[in-house]
Amino acid sequence: MNKTKEIMKQQRVCVMVPTYNNAGTVVDVVKGILQLTDDLIVVIDGCTDDTRERLDEAGLDIVRVDYPQNRGKGHALLAGFEKALVMDYDYAITIDADGQHLPEDIPVFLEALQKHPDSLIIGARNLHQENMSSGSTFANKFSNFWFKVQTGIALSDTQTGYRLYPLRRLTGKRFITSRYEAELELLVFSAWANIPIHEVPVNVYYPPKEERVSHFRPFADFLRISILNTVLCFLAVVYGWPRRIIHQLTHHGKTL
């Protein structure tokens, strides 16, 4: 048994791959993960391409969560988390199915977990890397700014999908939105719940524009993000900030 596989079994960590119409890349992503661990869950979020057929043809022995209608990344994450908890995992590392995340960085998350148990670990990308679109860079800076306003925490990459989640601390979570911006929402609510958040640097591969599969719709999705941030700012005033302040005062009192 390789060291990564051994640590993942000891720490009860799985890898989760949510996918929507990534047939051209998902098999290679899964094969890369299986070189390190067989604790893997693939969530098929109502794919309408040949994702299922390609996974079948590859003969990969993996756990699948599969439903017929596309429900969005937020729904896919919750469906995967629920399956992981049923399988008695304590943590899940999420990797996008488009090939931008490198499975070789999984040990980086495991090392951070050993230093910061029960934490949410964020895989921070190099946002100045070649082929990184200017729209994505702007959206991330926009997201980082509002996340700090809503939580008081500064992060360099709030839009990364490469993360390690402490599943037991997320039990019962439901989203305002079920689409891809739910990842930002989950990050904000985790901060409000006083779950420690740490960043680790990860490598990333951005394919050329002509090879890239993107479900991002600039106008509609940016509008949804803006609406979500408006709601989160209101909730930060009436719920998030008071909860964090009370926790900090209580925690400080216990350490005196």
Side-chain angles (χ1 to χ4, degrees):
M1 182 183 298
N2 65 53
K3 186 176 180 180
T4 298
K5 181 180 293 187
E6 182 179 358
I7 293 173
M8 291 187 69
K9 291 193 178 299
Q10 289 174 349
Q11 299 292 322
R12 304 218 56 80
V13 182
C14 69
V15 178
M16 192 175 75
V17 181
T19 181
Y20 174 61
N21 290 357
N22 298 114
T25 54
V26 67
V27 171
D28 287 339
V29 171
V30 169
K31 285 182 176 179
I33 295 168
L34 290 175
Q35 291 181 5
L36 297 172
T37 179
D38 52 9
D39 291 301
L40 172 62
I41 300 171
V42 176
V43 183
I44 301 176
D45 182 26
C47 294
T48 57
D49 61 2
D50 59 345
T51 290
R52 297 174 182 85
E53 290 76 11
R54 294 202 183 192
L55 288 172
D56 290 339
E57 291 170 1
L60 304 173
D61 183 17
I62 55 175
V63 174
R64 299 190 200 181
V65 176
D66 192 349
Y67 41 90
Q69 184 177 357
N70 175 246
R71 303 287 296 276
K73 193 171 185 181
H75 182 88
L77 289 173
L78 289 184
F81 292 163
E82 289 173 1
K83 181 65 174 180
L85 285 167
V86 168
M87 297 176 67
D88 201 31
Y89 289 109
D90 292 328
Y91 301 94
I93 298 174
T94 56
I95 294 183
D96 289 347
D98 60 4
Q100 71 163 285
H101 300 149
L102 305 184
E104 296 93 311
D105 282 325
I106 289 175
V108 175
F109 287 90
L110 299 179
E111 182 179 351
L113 177 61
Q114 291 177 329
K115 295 178 181 177
H116 309 289
D118 294 323
S119 297
L120 198 165
I121 312 297
I122 303 296
R125 302 163 295 173
N126 177 5
L127 299 178
H128 303 288
Q129 188 165 319
E130 185 180 1
N131 293 330
M132 179 71 171
S133 71
S134 58
S136 296
T137 302
F138 172 78
N140 198 56
K141 290 180 179 179
F142 180 84
S143 177
N144 295 346
F145 171 80
W146 286 112
F147 178 77
K148 187 172 183 179
V149 169
Q150 293 151 4
T151 67
I153 300 172
L155 293 176
S156 65
D157 190 2
T158 53
Q159 291 200 323
T160 178
Y162 208 172
R163 303 177 178 181
L164 181 147
Y165 290 97
L167 297 175
R168 307 291 174 184
R169 302 193 66 174
L170 301 176
T171 303
K173 178 73 181 78
R174 290 296 179 267
F175 289 118
I176 297 172
T177 173
S178 65
R179 296 296 166 180
Y180 89 95
E181 66 268 20
E183 287 182 306
L184 173 60
E185 180 188 340
L186 184 53
L187 200 56
V188 171
F189 276 95
S190 295
W192 290 347
N194 299 299
I195 297 174
I197 300 174
H198 300 277
E199 286 187 310
V200 293
V202 295
N203 297 298
V204 64
Y205 169 69
Y206 294 111
K209 186 175 182 179
E210 60 273 11
E211 298 177 10
R212 194 176 304 156
V213 176
S214 175
H215 305 297
F216 182 76
R217 298 169 299 172
F219 178 78
D221 289 343
F222 191 76
L223 178 62
R224 285 209 317 267
I225 293 172
S226 298
I227 293 172
L228 175 61
N229 274 313
T230 301
V231 173
L232 290 175
C233 284
F234 171 76
L235 292 176
V237 173
V238 301
Y239 172 78
W241 274 105
R243 180 170 179 174
R244 282 182 59 79
I245 291 171
I246 291 171
H247 173 80
Q248 290 172 3
L249 290 173
T250 303
H251 181 73
H252 179 70
K254 289 181 178 178
T255 59
L256 292 179

